Amino acid sequence: MKKIECFIRPEKLEEVKAALIKAGVVGLTISEVYGAGRQKGFVEKYRVSEVTVNLLPKIKVELYLKDQETDKILQILAAAAKTGEVGDGKIFVLDGVEQALRIRTGERNEAAL
């Protein structure tokens, strides 16, 4: 099993969710996060001074997949999240999810997904 962590622009969330649902993904977790990367933030004027905002709002999408689904879902995520501009985000694939357990039924591992 694999864990995917995907950091995207907030305005792309609905498009990403719709693409994942269409692909048959049934479970995901969404978090509002702040981060910095190549986008570098921006300078904003507040009253009479300038304020540098270098942590930008992002959305973190987490999901767990069967190994064989990973490449397909990566392509779907990348296509749905892409604007072509700096700050589109990143996707990380983590290997080695050792176990999963569905609490309600006791199903384990891939059956629990």
Side-chain angles (χ1 to χ4, degrees):
M1 290 180 293
K2 307 276 189 203
K3 177 183 181 184
I4 294 184
E5 293 183 356
C6 179
F7 296 86
I8 62 172
R9 295 173 178 266
E11 62 269 20
K12 297 299 279 183
L13 176 59
E14 292 305 318
E15 192 173 333
V16 167
K17 281 186 351 186
L20 289 172
I21 289 167
K22 184 176 179 182
V25 173
V26 294
L28 54 97
T29 300
I30 306 292
S31 305
E32 292 181 6
V33 296
Y34 291 87
R38 290 189 179 160
Q39 200 172 1
K40 305 272 194 255
F42 57 92
V43 176
E44 196 172 80
K45 291 193 184 236
Y46 180 73
R47 296 189 183 175
V48 294
S49 61
E50 290 185 349
V51 176
T52 301
V53 179
N54 55 10
L55 292 176
L56 300 172
K58 297 291 180 183
I59 298 294
K60 180 179 179 183
V61 179
E62 296 175 82
L63 51 143
Y64 297 86
L65 303 169
K66 298 175 183 175
D67 291 341
Q68 63 270 24
E69 298 174 327
T70 304
D71 289 336
K72 173 185 153 190
I73 298 302
L74 280 177
Q75 291 175 355
I76 290 167
L77 278 168
K82 184 176 182 176
T83 68
E85 301 293 324
V86 173
D88 275 354
K90 289 204 170 52
I91 302 171
F92 298 95
V93 178
L94 297 109
D95 196 13
V97 176
E98 291 185 26
Q99 293 186 42
L101 173 70
R102 184 183 313 268
I103 294 171
R104 179 179 54 85
T105 63
E107 293 170 294
R108 291 186 170 267
N109 301 325
E110 288 188 0
L113 296 178

